[in-house]
Amino acid sequence: MDRPIHVVGGGIAGLVAAITAAEAGAPVVVHEASGRAGGRALGGTERAGVNLGPHVVFTDGALVRWLRSHHIDVGLRGPVVRGVRVLDDSGSHLPLVESARLAATLPPQRAPVDDSFRAWAEQAFGPTRAALMCRLAGLFTFHDDPGALSARFVWDRFRRTFLGADRVRWVAGGWSTLVDALIERALARGARIDLDDRLTPGTLPEGPTIVATKLSAAARLLERRLDWPGTRTALLDVVTAPGGNWPSIVADVRADLATCCMIERETAVEPGLLGHDRYELFQAHLGVGPGIAFDPAVARIEDALDRAVDGWRERVVWRRGHLLVDSTGAVDPPGTTWRDRPGIDQGDDRFVAGDAVAAPGLLSEVAVNSAVRATHMALEARRRQVFAPGWPSVDLSPERRLAVLAAALPGASLESVELRGGSDRGREIEPVDETGPGYLLGVRAGVVRGTAVTPSPDGSRVTTLAWVRWPEPVARPLNRLYSTLRASVFGSSAWRYALGRRRFR
Amino acid sequence: MEDQVTAAQRGDPLAMDALLTELAPWVGRLCSAIALSRGEDAMQETLILVLRNLPTLREPAALRAWVRRIAVRQSLRMTGDARVVSVPDPPEVPVLQDLDTVMDVRETLMRLSPSQRAVLVLRDLEDLSEQEAAEVMDLPEGTVKSGLHRARKSFRQRWEEG
């Protein structure tokens, strides 16, 4: 192959990277250490359709958007909201509803990076509600003490999970169907997937390489320190014979834990998941601290099952347990954000992707975002190889890209350009999946607004770059373009470039 | 690629955007090597011209040659050296293999006249023949030849002095 892009690891990040690179016309080789691509998304081979723990996607998240923009069809199922059972100390489920209601009445608001979620939530919601919210955050952090994490990190996810609950989906047939669809697309686009191909530092290929493994494996392969806090999470999967009127979701928020124990009855969402219509699959997870062994954690999960699911023990036909370490994505301690995690660009045309690197998003979205970003960098590195080294070069900044499109698109006219600085307290810029500093293009009613968002000590600094009025026929494709642009520029240093002021005419 | 060009010619914004992604790194290199600090402006003007005039391009396969021509001219225009005049005492291109030479290349490029840089870029970065380079710059082949010779000589001298 002619100067291929190498991808190490065939999980979600690796497959997304392979497809992105292959669709850009580059030859791609995926090096997968095991006998089957898919990584953690496969969930094991004992039972088809059973994920490694609970897995959901968000329809407004990077994974679903990416799949849609690539026309990869994966069935998605909405949540079953009936039959949610909350186990708390008072036996009531009111606090849950109440806190969700309370949170919903708040204006969009960011929490501070430097405080712990617990400290911030106590101030914002009072100690009782804060304690409950800390525990509930175990649902999406998989952590044993979510209240100790950065308030920004937890609150962003809290809002997406609980206030955007209508956007939660389950992948029909389990994530192995998603993996199969990705593999099929990668192969169809000409990517090569080498199985049982475990690389070592000595066999790491030359040329642009995307290391899309767990962080610890990437560190060994690249022979450098790459680490970030993760979680220890106990998983228990149970298949039972049909039972009674069982809940679809059990949220065990009893106060003996600093987190919650979540149990999902996957067959409530997808009754045919196991092939036998009436068999039931429960999947439970519980974040456990460093000092806690696996057995007591499982005992705690079983206790929750005992209280919420009558007669499950007698009906068990299959079960398995796992203790996952650093397998549920990065968590950000107070004082840090995703930007502080190990960077995608590791120098020498090596890039890392995965769910614990410097990219925005929730869980698997981090893997997708970082994979796309790493691939763009690798493609650029590959292009660079054909040029003599040493020659200067410039990139097309997003601002200039907008300027070019605005000037060139038929019928578009730029109405005004406005450069503004200073803290813009009156306006809250909604960070779309934590886009943060970077570039937002808003398309509303045929008007495009370009905005650069810069962090500053007293909040976000907003610079409006351009307003363009688009003729109606152009507006729709622009909406798609808008999501592409938005996705492609996060984390870029684009905002540093002043807008080509003179260029707008 | 050619489908993309055809779609962009029809005014499909997504295809135009994809074309930008495809062309920008290469155009950025051409422009910044010739126009130096005005490289970004030259790139922007080039890409605007490319997208605006795309419908006039008859043969999508000829895209690169066409874009190259626009990029070189815009870069020269941006440096105020729209008409190519041979300049006394110009530079030259060593074969650069390692990244330590980055600063030398930049330094040397800065001492060249824009048209000398353009000749260097076309011959050494773009691998065009002297005839092709002359065509892009609308110059007689002989002028490019002598310009290139002087450019290389001067470049090498400066590089070796450095």
Side-chain angles (χ1 to χ4, degrees), chain B residues 2-72:
Chain B
E2 291 186 15
D3 291 351
Q4 218 172 60
V5 176
T6 318
Q9 284 182 322
R10 287 196 308 265
D12 174 356
L14 279 179
M16 289 165 90
D17 185 63
L19 204 58
L20 285 185
T21 307
E22 180 71 28
L23 293 176
W26 172 61
V27 171
R29 258 179 216 98
L30 291 179
C31 291
S32 64
I34 301 172
L36 300 182
S37 61
R38 305 286 315 274
E40 279 198 282
D41 290 341
M43 171 170 65
Q44 183 172 324
E45 290 298 293
T46 302
L47 293 171
I48 289 174
L49 281 174
V50 165
L51 290 190
R52 275 191 180 158
N53 296 308
L54 207 53
T56 67
L57 179 70
R58 286 203 187 149
E59 195 47 71
L63 177 75
R64 292 233 163 206
W66 180 64
V67 173
R68 180 189 294 126
R69 186 178 260 267
I70 297 175
V72 170

Coordinates of all heavy atoms in Angstrom, one line a residue, chain B residues 2-72:
Chain B
E2 N -13.5 13.9 -8.7 CA -14.1 14.6 -9.8 C -15.6 14.8 -9.7 O -16.1 15.8 -10.1 CB -13.7 13.9 -11.1 CG -12.3 14.0 -11.5 CD -11.9 13.5 -12.8 OE1 -12.8 13.2 -13.6 OE2 -10.7 13.3 -13.0
D3 N -16.2 13.9 -9.0 CA -17.6 14.0 -8.7 C -17.8 15.3 -7.8 O -18.8 16.0 -8.0 CB -18.2 12.8 -7.9 CG -18.2 11.6 -8.8 OD1 -18.0 11.8 -10.0 OD2 -18.4 10.5 -8.3
Q4 N -16.9 15.4 -6.9 CA -17.0 16.5 -6.0 C -16.9 17.8 -6.7 O -17.6 18.8 -6.5 CB -15.8 16.4 -5.0 CG -16.1 16.8 -3.6 CD -14.9 16.4 -2.8 OE1 -13.8 16.9 -3.0 NE2 -15.1 15.5 -1.8
V5 N -15.9 17.9 -7.7 CA -15.7 19.1 -8.4 C -17.0 19.4 -9.2 O -17.5 20.5 -9.2 CB -14.5 18.9 -9.4 CG1 -14.4 20.2 -10.3 CG2 -13.3 18.7 -8.6
T6 N -17.6 18.4 -9.8 CA -18.8 18.6 -10.6 C -19.9 19.1 -9.7 O -20.6 20.0 -10.1 CB -19.2 17.3 -11.3 OG1 -18.1 16.6 -11.8 CG2 -20.2 17.5 -12.4
A7 N -20.0 18.5 -8.5 CA -21.1 19.0 -7.6 C -20.8 20.4 -7.2 O -21.8 21.2 -7.1 CB -21.2 18.0 -6.4
A8 N -19.6 20.7 -6.9 CA -19.2 22.1 -6.5 C -19.5 23.1 -7.6 O -19.9 24.2 -7.4 CB -17.8 22.1 -6.0
Q9 N -19.3 22.6 -8.8 CA -19.6 23.5 -10.0 C -21.0 23.8 -10.0 O -21.4 24.9 -10.5 CB -19.1 22.8 -11.3 CG -17.6 22.9 -11.5 CD -17.2 22.2 -12.8 OE1 -17.7 21.3 -13.2 NE2 -16.2 22.8 -13.4
R10 N -21.9 22.9 -9.6 CA -23.3 23.2 -9.6 C -23.7 24.0 -8.4 O -24.9 24.4 -8.3 CB -24.1 21.8 -9.5 CG -24.1 21.0 -10.8 CD -25.2 20.0 -10.7 NE -25.1 19.2 -9.5 CZ -24.4 18.0 -9.4 NH1 -23.8 17.5 -10.5 NH2 -24.3 17.3 -8.3
G11 N -22.8 24.3 -7.5 CA -23.1 25.2 -6.4 C -23.5 24.5 -5.1 O -24.0 25.1 -4.2
D12 N -23.2 23.2 -5.0 CA -23.5 22.5 -3.8 C -22.6 22.9 -2.7 O -21.4 22.6 -2.8 CB -23.4 21.0 -4.1 CG -23.6 20.1 -2.9 OD1 -23.7 20.7 -1.8 OD2 -23.6 18.9 -3.0
P13 N -23.1 23.5 -1.7 CA -22.3 24.1 -0.6 C -21.4 23.0 0.1 O -20.3 23.2 0.4 CB -23.2 24.7 0.4 CG -24.5 24.9 -0.3 CD -24.5 23.8 -1.4
L14 N -22.0 21.8 0.2 CA -21.2 20.7 0.9 C -20.0 20.3 0.1 O -18.9 20.1 0.6 CB -22.1 19.5 1.2 CG -23.0 19.6 2.4 CD1 -23.8 18.4 2.6 CD2 -22.1 19.9 3.7
A15 N -20.2 20.2 -1.2 CA -19.1 19.8 -2.1 C -18.1 20.9 -2.1 O -16.9 20.7 -2.2 CB -19.7 19.6 -3.5
M16 N -18.6 22.2 -2.1 CA -17.6 23.3 -2.1 C -16.8 23.2 -0.8 O -15.6 23.5 -0.8 CB -18.3 24.6 -2.2 CG -18.9 24.8 -3.6 SD -20.1 26.1 -3.7 CE -19.2 27.5 -4.0
D17 N -17.4 22.9 0.3 CA -16.7 22.8 1.6 C -15.7 21.7 1.5 O -14.6 21.8 2.0 CB -17.7 22.6 2.7 CG -17.0 22.7 4.0 OD1 -16.5 23.7 4.4 OD2 -17.0 21.6 4.7
A18 N -16.1 20.6 1.0 CA -15.2 19.4 0.9 C -14.0 19.7 0.0 O -12.9 19.3 0.3 CB -16.0 18.2 0.3
L19 N -14.3 20.5 -1.1 CA -13.2 20.9 -2.0 C -12.2 21.8 -1.2 O -11.0 21.7 -1.4 CB -13.8 21.6 -3.2 CG -13.0 21.7 -4.4 CD1 -12.7 20.3 -4.9 CD2 -13.8 22.5 -5.5
L20 N -12.7 22.6 -0.4 CA -11.8 23.5 0.4 C -10.9 22.6 1.3 O -9.7 22.9 1.4 CB -12.6 24.4 1.3 CG -13.3 25.6 0.7 CD1 -14.0 26.5 1.8 CD2 -12.3 26.4 -0.1
T21 N -11.5 21.6 1.9 CA -10.7 20.7 2.8 C -9.6 20.1 2.0 O -8.5 19.9 2.4 CB -11.6 19.7 3.4 OG1 -12.7 20.3 4.1 CG2 -10.9 18.8 4.4
E22 N -10.0 19.7 0.8 CA -9.0 18.9 -0.1 C -7.9 19.9 -0.5 O -6.7 19.5 -0.5 CB -9.8 18.4 -1.3 CG -9.0 17.6 -2.3 CD -8.6 16.3 -1.7 OE1 -9.3 15.7 -0.9 OE2 -7.5 15.8 -2.2
L23 N -8.2 21.1 -0.9 CA -7.3 21.9 -1.6 C -6.4 22.8 -0.6 O -5.3 23.2 -0.9 CB -7.9 22.9 -2.5 CG -8.6 22.3 -3.8 CD1 -9.3 23.3 -4.6 CD2 -7.5 21.6 -4.6
A24 N -7.1 23.1 0.6 CA -6.5 24.1 1.5 C -5.0 23.8 1.9 O -4.2 24.7 1.8 CB -7.3 24.3 2.7
P25 N -4.7 22.6 2.3 CA -3.3 22.4 2.8 C -2.3 22.7 1.7 O -1.2 23.3 1.9 CB -3.2 21.0 3.2 CG -4.7 20.6 3.4 CD -5.5 21.4 2.5
W26 N -2.6 22.2 0.5 CA -1.7 22.4 -0.7 C -1.6 23.9 -1.1 O -0.5 24.4 -1.2 CB -2.2 21.5 -1.8 CG -1.5 21.7 -3.1 CD1 -0.2 21.5 -3.4 CD2 -2.1 22.1 -4.3 NE1 0.0 21.7 -4.7 CE2 -1.1 22.1 -5.3 CE3 -3.4 22.5 -4.7 CZ2 -1.4 22.5 -6.6 CZ3 -3.7 22.8 -6.0 CH2 -2.6 22.8 -7.0
V27 N -2.8 24.5 -1.2 CA -2.8 25.9 -1.6 C -2.0 26.8 -0.5 O -1.3 27.7 -0.8 CB -4.2 26.4 -1.7 CG1 -4.3 27.9 -1.9 CG2 -4.9 25.8 -2.9
G28 N -2.3 26.4 0.8 CA -1.6 27.1 1.9 C -0.1 27.0 1.7 O 0.6 28.0 2.1
R29 N 0.4 25.9 1.3 CA 1.9 25.8 1.1 C 2.4 26.6 0.0 O 3.4 27.3 0.1 CB 2.2 24.3 0.8 CG 2.8 23.7 2.1 CD 3.1 22.3 1.8 NE 2.8 21.6 3.0 CZ 1.7 20.9 3.3 NH1 0.8 20.8 2.3 NH2 1.4 20.4 4.4
L30 N 1.7 26.6 -1.1 CA 2.1 27.4 -2.3 C 2.1 28.9 -1.9 O 3.1 29.6 -2.2 CB 1.1 27.2 -3.5 CG 1.1 25.8 -4.2 CD1 0.0 25.8 -5.3 CD2 2.4 25.5 -4.8
C31 N 1.0 29.3 -1.3 CA 0.9 30.7 -1.0 C 1.8 31.2 0.0 O 2.4 32.3 -0.1 CB -0.6 31.0 -0.6 SG -1.8 30.8 -1.9
S32 N 2.0 30.4 1.1 CA 2.9 30.9 2.1 C 4.4 30.9 1.7 O 5.2 31.7 2.2 CB 2.7 30.1 3.4 OG 3.1 28.8 3.3
A33 N 4.7 30.0 0.8 CA 6.1 30.0 0.3 C 6.4 31.2 -0.6 O 7.5 31.7 -0.7 CB 6.4 28.7 -0.5
I34 N 5.4 31.7 -1.3 CA 5.6 32.8 -2.2 C 5.3 34.1 -1.5 O 6.0 35.1 -1.5 CB 4.7 32.7 -3.4 CG1 5.1 31.4 -4.2 CG2 4.9 33.9 -4.3 CD1 4.2 31.0 -5.3
A35 N 4.1 34.2 -0.8 CA 3.7 35.4 -0.2 C 4.1 35.6 1.2 O 3.9 36.6 1.9 CB 2.2 35.6 -0.3
L36 N 4.8 34.6 1.8 CA 5.3 34.6 3.2 C 4.2 35.1 4.2 O 3.2 34.4 4.3 CB 6.5 35.4 3.3 CG 7.7 34.9 2.4 CD1 8.9 35.8 2.5 CD2 8.0 33.4 2.7
S37 N 4.4 36.2 4.8 CA 3.5 36.6 5.9 C 2.1 36.9 5.3 O 1.1 36.9 6.1 CB 4.0 37.8 6.6 OG 4.1 38.9 5.7
R38 N 2.0 37.2 4.0 CA 0.6 37.4 3.5 C 0.0 36.1 2.9 O -0.9 36.2 2.1 CB 0.7 38.5 2.3 CG 1.3 39.8 2.7 CD 0.4 40.7 3.5 NE -0.9 40.8 3.1 CZ -1.4 41.6 2.2 NH1 -0.6 42.4 1.6 NH2 -2.7 41.7 2.0
G39 N 0.6 35.0 3.3 CA 0.2 33.7 2.8 C -1.2 33.4 3.0 O -1.9 32.9 2.1
E40 N -1.7 33.7 4.2 CA -3.1 33.4 4.5 C -4.1 34.2 3.7 O -5.1 33.7 3.2 CB -3.4 33.7 6.0 CG -2.9 32.6 7.0 CD -3.6 32.8 8.3 OE1 -3.2 33.7 9.1 OE2 -4.6 32.1 8.6
D41 N -3.7 35.5 3.5 CA -4.6 36.3 2.7 C -4.6 35.8 1.2 O -5.6 35.8 0.6 CB -4.1 37.8 2.7 CG -4.3 38.4 4.0 OD1 -5.2 37.9 4.8 OD2 -3.7 39.5 4.3
A42 N -3.4 35.5 0.8 CA -3.3 35.0 -0.6 C -4.1 33.7 -0.8 O -4.8 33.5 -1.8 CB -1.8 34.7 -1.0
M43 N -4.0 32.8 0.3 CA -4.8 31.6 0.2 C -6.3 31.9 0.1 O -7.0 31.3 -0.6 CB -4.5 30.7 1.4 CG -5.4 29.5 1.5 SD -4.9 28.3 2.8 CE -5.1 29.2 4.3
Q44 N -6.7 32.8 1.0 CA -8.1 33.1 1.0 C -8.6 33.6 -0.3 O -9.6 33.2 -0.8 CB -8.4 34.1 2.1 CG -9.9 34.5 2.3 CD -10.1 35.3 3.5 OE1 -9.5 35.1 4.6 NE2 -11.1 36.2 3.4
E45 N -7.8 34.6 -0.9 CA -8.2 35.1 -2.2 C -8.2 34.0 -3.2 O -9.1 34.0 -4.1 CB -7.2 36.2 -2.6 CG -7.4 37.5 -1.7 CD -8.8 38.1 -1.9 OE1 -9.1 38.6 -3.0 OE2 -9.5 38.1 -0.9
T46 N -7.2 33.2 -3.2 CA -7.2 32.1 -4.2 C -8.4 31.2 -4.1 O -9.0 30.9 -5.1 CB -5.9 31.2 -3.9 OG1 -4.8 32.1 -4.0 CG2 -5.8 30.1 -4.9
L47 N -8.7 30.8 -2.9 CA -9.9 29.9 -2.7 C -11.2 30.5 -3.1 O -12.1 29.9 -3.7 CB -9.9 29.4 -1.3 CG -8.7 28.4 -0.9 CD1 -8.7 28.1 0.6 CD2 -8.7 27.2 -1.7
I48 N -11.3 31.8 -2.8 CA -12.5 32.5 -3.2 C -12.6 32.5 -4.8 O -13.7 32.2 -5.4 CB -12.5 34.0 -2.7 CG1 -12.8 34.0 -1.2 CG2 -13.6 34.8 -3.4 CD1 -12.7 35.4 -0.6
L49 N -11.5 32.9 -5.4 CA -11.5 32.9 -6.9 C -11.8 31.5 -7.5 O -12.5 31.3 -8.4 CB -10.1 33.4 -7.4 CG -10.0 34.9 -7.4 CD1 -8.5 35.2 -7.7 CD2 -10.9 35.5 -8.3
V50 N -11.2 30.5 -6.8 CA -11.4 29.1 -7.3 C -12.9 28.7 -7.2 O -13.5 28.3 -8.2 CB -10.6 28.1 -6.5 CG1 -11.0 26.7 -6.7 CG2 -9.1 28.3 -6.8
L51 N -13.5 29.0 -6.0 CA -14.9 28.6 -5.9 C -15.8 29.4 -6.8 O -16.8 28.9 -7.4 CB -15.4 28.7 -4.4 CG -14.8 27.7 -3.4 CD1 -15.5 27.8 -2.1 CD2 -14.8 26.3 -4.0
R52 N -15.5 30.7 -6.9 CA -16.4 31.6 -7.8 C -16.3 31.2 -9.2 O -17.3 31.2 -9.9 CB -15.9 33.0 -7.6 CG -16.6 33.7 -6.4 CD -16.3 35.2 -6.5 NE -16.9 35.9 -5.4 CZ -16.5 37.0 -4.9 NH1 -15.5 37.7 -5.6 NH2 -17.1 37.6 -3.9
N53 N -15.1 30.8 -9.7 CA -14.9 30.6 -11.1 C -15.0 29.1 -11.5 O -14.7 28.8 -12.6 CB -13.6 31.2 -11.6 CG -13.6 32.7 -11.4 OD1 -14.5 33.4 -11.9 ND2 -12.6 33.3 -10.7
L54 N -15.3 28.3 -10.5 CA -15.3 26.9 -10.7 C -16.2 26.5 -11.9 O -15.8 25.6 -12.7 CB -15.8 26.2 -9.4 CG -15.3 24.8 -9.2 CD1 -13.8 24.7 -9.3 CD2 -15.8 24.3 -7.9
P55 N -17.3 27.1 -12.1 CA -18.2 26.7 -13.2 C -17.5 26.9 -14.6 O -17.8 26.3 -15.6 CB -19.4 27.7 -13.1 CG -19.5 28.0 -11.7 CD -18.0 28.1 -11.2
T56 N -16.4 27.8 -14.6 CA -15.8 28.0 -15.9 C -14.7 26.9 -16.2 O -14.2 26.9 -17.3 CB -15.0 29.4 -15.9 OG1 -14.0 29.3 -15.0 CG2 -16.0 30.5 -15.6
L57 N -14.5 26.1 -15.2 CA -13.5 25.0 -15.4 C -14.1 23.9 -16.2 O -15.1 23.3 -15.7 CB -13.0 24.5 -14.0 CG -12.0 23.4 -14.1 CD1 -10.6 23.9 -14.6 CD2 -11.8 22.8 -12.7
R58 N -13.6 23.6 -17.4 CA -14.3 22.7 -18.2 C -13.9 21.2 -17.9 O -14.7 20.3 -18.0 CB -13.9 22.9 -19.7 CG -14.6 24.1 -20.2 CD -14.7 24.1 -21.7 NE -15.3 25.4 -22.2 CZ -15.0 25.9 -23.4 NH1 -14.2 25.2 -24.2 NH2 -15.5 27.0 -23.7
E59 N -12.7 21.1 -17.5 CA -12.2 19.7 -17.3 C -11.8 19.5 -15.8 O -10.8 20.0 -15.4 CB -10.9 19.5 -18.2 CG -10.5 18.1 -18.3 CD -11.6 17.2 -18.7 OE1 -12.1 17.3 -19.8 OE2 -12.0 16.4 -17.8
P60 N -12.7 18.9 -15.1 CA -12.4 18.7 -13.6 C -11.0 18.1 -13.3 O -10.4 18.4 -12.3 CB -13.5 17.8 -13.2 CG -14.6 17.9 -14.1 CD -14.0 18.3 -15.4
A61 N -10.5 17.3 -14.2 CA -9.2 16.7 -14.0 C -8.1 17.7 -14.0 O -7.1 17.5 -13.5 CB -9.0 15.6 -15.1
A62 N -8.4 18.9 -14.7 CA -7.4 19.9 -14.8 C -7.4 20.8 -13.6 O -6.7 21.9 -13.6 CB -7.6 20.7 -16.0
L63 N -8.2 20.5 -12.5 CA -8.4 21.4 -11.4 C -7.1 21.8 -10.8 O -6.9 23.0 -10.6 CB -9.2 20.6 -10.3 CG -9.4 21.4 -9.1 CD1 -10.5 22.5 -9.3 CD2 -9.9 20.5 -7.9
R64 N -6.2 20.9 -10.5 CA -5.0 21.3 -9.8 C -4.1 22.3 -10.5 O -3.6 23.2 -9.9 CB -4.1 20.0 -9.4 CG -4.9 19.1 -8.5 CD -4.0 18.8 -7.3 NE -4.8 18.3 -6.2 CZ -4.5 18.4 -4.9 NH1 -3.3 19.0 -4.6 NH2 -5.2 17.9 -4.0
A65 N -3.9 22.0 -11.8 CA -3.1 23.0 -12.6 C -3.7 24.3 -12.6 O -3.0 25.4 -12.5 CB -3.0 22.4 -14.0
W66 N -5.0 24.4 -12.7 CA -5.8 25.6 -12.7 C -5.6 26.4 -11.4 O -5.3 27.5 -11.3 CB -7.2 25.3 -13.0 CG -8.1 26.5 -13.1 CD1 -8.1 27.5 -14.0 CD2 -9.3 26.7 -12.3 NE1 -9.1 28.3 -13.8 CE2 -9.9 27.9 -12.7 CE3 -9.8 26.0 -11.2 CZ2 -11.0 28.4 -12.1 CZ3 -10.9 26.6 -10.6 CH2 -11.5 27.8 -11.0
V67 N -5.8 25.6 -10.3 CA -5.7 26.2 -9.0 C -4.3 26.7 -8.7 O -4.1 27.8 -8.1 CB -6.1 25.2 -7.9 CG1 -5.8 25.7 -6.5 CG2 -7.6 24.8 -8.0
R68 N -3.3 25.9 -9.2 CA -1.9 26.3 -9.0 C -1.6 27.7 -9.6 O -1.0 28.5 -9.0 CB -1.0 25.2 -9.6 CG 0.5 25.6 -9.4 CD 1.3 24.6 -10.2 NE 1.2 23.2 -9.7 CZ 0.9 22.2 -10.5 NH1 0.6 22.4 -11.8 NH2 0.9 21.0 -10.0
R69 N -2.1 27.8 -10.8 CA -1.9 29.1 -11.5 C -2.5 30.2 -10.7 O -1.9 31.3 -10.6 CB -2.6 28.9 -12.9 CG -2.4 30.0 -13.8 CD -3.2 29.6 -15.1 NE -2.3 29.1 -16.1 CZ -1.7 29.9 -17.1 NH1 -1.9 31.1 -17.1 NH2 -0.9 29.4 -17.9
I70 N -3.8 30.0 -10.3 CA -4.4 31.1 -9.5 C -3.6 31.4 -8.2 O -3.4 32.6 -7.9 CB -5.9 30.7 -9.2 CG1 -6.7 30.5 -10.4 CG2 -6.5 31.7 -8.3 CD1 -8.1 30.0 -10.2
A71 N -3.2 30.3 -7.6 CA -2.5 30.5 -6.3 C -1.2 31.3 -6.5 O -0.9 32.3 -5.7 CB -2.2 29.2 -5.7
V72 N -0.4 31.0 -7.5 CA 0.8 31.7 -7.8 C 0.5 33.1 -8.1 O 1.2 34.1 -7.5 CB 1.6 31.0 -8.9 CG1 2.8 31.9 -9.4 CG2 2.1 29.6 -8.5

